[in-house]
Amino acid sequence: MRIAIVSHYMPPHTGGVEQVAALLARTYADAGHEVSWIACATPLPPGEATEEGVRFVRIADANVLERRFAMPFPLIGLGGWRTVARAVAGADVAHVHDCLYATSIAATRQRTPYIVTQHVAMVSFGGGLIDPLLATAYRTAGRDVLRRARHVAFVSENVRDWFTQHVAPDLRASLIPNAVDTSLFHVASDAERTAAREAFGIPRDAVVVLFAGRLVPKKNVRALVDALGHTDAHLFVVGDGPERDALAALGHRVTHVPRIPHARMPEAFAAADAFALPSTGEGLPLSLIEALASGLPCVVSDDPAFAGLAACDAVIRTPLAQLSSALVDALAMPASRRVTSRAWAEARYGLARFRDAYLALLAEAAR
């Protein structure tokens, strides 16, 4: 099959959607399909390239909403719209990531059959006029994209339930959680841990909490910094964004690496003793399941997005007001919890199930 993958961004722009799309691009190419991936170019210039059997089409965009308001909604012009349209029209089937991006809407205006992976429910951007406008957009343009899809794959129960209740209750849909390559993300040896800390400049004997993600308000980085201020732990941050100034409060007890290739993320997890993601409005964050596969105890917020992890002994769900004590508890977990964390990831987020589910959906959609 000729498969067109359409997303808002692609690497080196950082984000979970980009990494899931990258995993699918490799999966489809490895299965012998002809794969094109179309997305906005930020932070690279527009252009085309072919790497490892995948054709990358980077289109010109205006990234003002992310730059000014931390809203990852790149804007495209007529030329970008036409580029998306041509690429999708030349495919047998398209795989669209999320329903409300400009690239998604452009892709789904063609006659090519498509499926959608919906990664997130509605995220609040501080209230005011933005939130009701966004909700209206989901109930109009987003609903249209989802209803015309041959199939919609939701990454978590929370995302599925939000769309069922607020957008469209009658979609052709299923639940396909994100996946992680458990051969790459694994419980680190002592030697790997020491080497990783040396590579990132982290004190060898520190107790380390890792945060990986964009430094934007919904991730609650300021709350994490405040909570760690009541402990002796060292914060290791992989990611960047407008909230980076909050890190200064920890002084020498923070190591900040704004961006690394995703191929080095196993090394980042190897350097940590625990993982923290006290965010809201998530789908199924790739960084979280990578942390679980790496055998790390995890601390997350009590946001409904994380309700599905309640049965995992290696995950602590906590209100932000109790974040500090939750981090202390996570760091005190026995080594046996690493086995629990790893086993949870292997049982639920393996590549084989993920690959087979999506290849079957695409084959059915292309008929």
Side-chain angles (χ1 to χ4, degrees), residues 201-203 206-210 228 232-236 252-255:
I202 299 170
V207 176
V208 178
V209 174
L210 172 65
L228 286 172
D232 295 324
H234 187 96
L235 177 60
F236 178 28
H252 68 280
R253 290 197 296 118
V254 63
T255 298

Side-chain angles (χ1 to χ4, degrees), residues 27-183:
T27 296
Y28 297 158
D30 289 346
H33 300 293
E34 183 181 325
V35 181
S36 296
W37 183 1
I38 309 96
C40 294
T42 295
L44 298 180
E48 294 189 22
T50 300
E51 302 173 15
E52 299 180 352
V54 178
R55 173 175 166 249
F56 295 88
V57 182
R58 295 181 169 89
I59 61 176
D61 67 284
N63 200 37
V64 62
L65 294 178
E66 184 182 46
R67 191 167 56 249
R68 294 191 62 182
F69 306 111
M71 297 177 64
F73 287 86
L75 306 176
I76 62 174
L78 183 59
W81 185 284
R82 288 172 174 166
T83 299
V84 175
R86 283 194 300 269
V88 171
D92 298 311
V93 64
H95 188 165
V96 174
H97 290 269
D98 278 21
C99 65
L100 208 54
Y101 298 124
T103 48
S104 302
I105 294 171
T108 57
R109 290 302 179 268
Q110 314 313 309
R111 294 183 177 180
T112 304
Y114 65 90
I115 67 171
V116 176
T117 295
Q118 190 61 41
H119 295 263
V120 296
M122 181 175 153
V123 176
S124 173
F125 289 96
L129 291 175
I130 293 178
D131 285 1
L133 286 173
L134 193 59
T136 299
Y138 272 118
R139 289 193 296 267
T140 52
R143 177 185 292 163
D144 181 60
V145 167
L146 295 171
R147 279 185 167 168
R148 289 189 296 108
R150 296 292 177 89
H151 198 87
V152 178
F154 293 109
V155 303
S156 71
E157 293 92 342
N158 180 64
V159 176
R160 179 195 61 197
D161 293 348
W162 189 87
F163 276 89
T164 299
Q165 294 169 19
H166 299 284
V167 178
D170 54 352
L171 299 172
R172 296 179 291 272
S174 61
L175 185 68
I176 305 180
N178 290 331
V180 62
D181 187 340
T182 53
S183 67

Side-chain angles (χ1 to χ4, degrees), residues 5 19-29 35 95 97 117 354 358:
I5 296 174
Q19 295 306 326
V20 172
L23 179 59
L24 286 165
R26 293 193 301 272
T27 296
Y28 297 158
V35 181
H95 188 165
H97 290 269
T117 295
F354 179 78
Y358 274 116

Side-chain angles (χ1 to χ4, degrees), residues 177-352:
N178 290 331
V180 62
D181 187 340
T182 53
S183 67
L184 295 176
F185 293 89
H186 60 274
V187 179
S189 66
D190 290 342
E192 288 173 321
R193 170 190 167 107
T194 299
R197 293 193 173 193
E198 182 177 347
F200 291 116
I202 299 170
R204 182 172 182 171
D205 296 326
V207 176
V208 178
V209 174
L210 172 65
F211 170 89
R214 295 185 304 134
L215 303 184
V216 294
K218 82 164 194 170
K219 300 291 186 179
N220 289 317
V221 176
R222 294 183 187 277
L224 177 59
V225 168
D226 181 65
L228 286 172
H230 301 285
T231 74
D232 295 324
H234 187 96
L235 177 60
F236 178 28
V237 174
V238 178
D240 204 10
E243 299 279 284
R244 69 180 70 85
D245 63 295
L247 305 180
L250 288 175
H252 68 280
R253 290 197 296 118
V254 63
T255 298
H256 180 207
V257 180
R259 179 178 287 118
I260 61 173
H262 189 254
R264 288 194 68 191
M265 283 305 298
E267 193 178 354
F269 288 107
D273 296 296
F275 178 77
L277 188 65
S279 53
T280 58
E282 298 283 6
L284 180 62
L286 192 60
S287 60
L288 177 58
I289 63 175
E290 289 170 346
L292 290 169
S294 301
L296 294 181
C298 299
V299 177
V300 298
S301 74
D302 59 354
D303 189 78
F306 300 118
L309 295 167
C312 181
D313 290 341
V315 176
I316 299 175
R317 297 177 64 233
T318 181
L320 292 182
Q322 299 172 27
L323 183 55
S324 183
S325 60
L327 289 165
V328 171
D329 290 344
L331 291 167
M333 281 186 182
S336 60
R337 292 291 178 88
R338 287 181 172 262
V339 178
T340 299
S341 176
R342 170 76 178 180
W344 180 274
E346 287 181 316
R348 291 161 177 80
Y349 309 127
L351 276 179

